[in-house]
Amino acid sequence: MNQETKKIFEKYKNLVEQKLDEYIPVKYPEKIWESMRYSVLAGGKRLRPVMTLETCRVLCGSYEQAVPAACAIEMLHSQSLIHDDLPCMDNDDYRRGKLTNHKVFGESTAVLAGDALLSFAPQVILQQTPSTVPSEVLLKVLEEFVVAAGAEKLISGQVVDIDSEGKQISEDTLNFIHENKTGALFKLSMRTGALLAGAENEKLQAVTDYAQKIGLAFQIMDDILDVTSTLEELGKTPGKDAQENKVTYVSFYGMEASKKRVSSLCQEACDILEKHGIKSDILKAIAQSINERVN
Ligand code: GRG
């Protein structure tokens, strides 16, 4: 990412951090709000909300109307991480370089903090999106959100992932898991930005296709980093996939072929933007940064 692009990315990221802090209050009973804030404000790359804001900007020239929805998507992402880290799921002690939510607040509060974020996120979309956004657009944004968060997407990906532990699964099953666990949130981020920009179908499809490519690239890179990275770099425990006997893209294709696949998917994502006249240095840089990421 060049200096200019980095500056714009940081501007979006700071706005998201500031709004998340503002949207999630601390009130009685403080424990639940503090637990929600602990995970949501724990850092993280904020890739998904930045994608929402930039997609909206590039397709209509403004991004302010997408700020609440972008923050809601980050809340959903944080919720999925809190629940994924629980002892009954992936059982992780570290996330974003900090102790996981249940390690700090206990299991019951961590479950409830995830649940609370899941319903607070659409509440934020409804209550904070500017009234200039037409109601039919708001309804469509909410529909995309609840579908992505539910049994058709995120949850089904997680269920098949858990069921697949220690089994020799097919490539189709591996793709199903990651299209739903990881890809669905990238698609939601891009489509939400496009919907709030009032984009026509051709552009909506183009950003969906871009998200499909980078979602897959992101997950393959996640599998690569699980093998090559450290706790300090990753902010979470590496080596979990092998420990849990999980089939990953690396175990399926091998390390070198996996790296090549990440690289070509990122290029294909940039080509989609180019082909449809979506001129965004940030979206191009996000695709390229997936190829270079270390956490
Ligand atoms: C939606 C009710 C409901 C439940 C969620 C637990 C679960 C069901 C799904 C798990 C989803 C999951 C943890 C997918 C992994 C996706 C992934 C690679 C996350 C890491 O994203 P980064 O690297 O994280 O962008 P940061 O910390 O930078 O935000």
Side-chain angles (χ1 to χ4, degrees), residues 216 220 253 256-266 268:
L216 181 55
I220 301 175
Y253 304 120
E256 280 322 299
S258 297
K259 285 183 180 166
K260 279 200 185 120
R261 185 109 176 84
V262 172
S263 182
S264 51
L265 283 163
C266 293
E268 287 164 28

Side-chain angles (χ1 to χ4, degrees), residues 125-126 129-145 191-192 194-199 204:
I125 299 180
L126 275 168
T129 302
S131 55
T132 45
V133 172
S135 335
E136 61 272 20
V137 172
L138 201 57
L139 266 181
K140 190 77 193 97
V141 166
L142 282 168
E143 183 190 1
E144 296 265 343
F145 185 95
R191 288 177 64 83
T192 298
L195 288 168
L196 287 162
L204 189 60

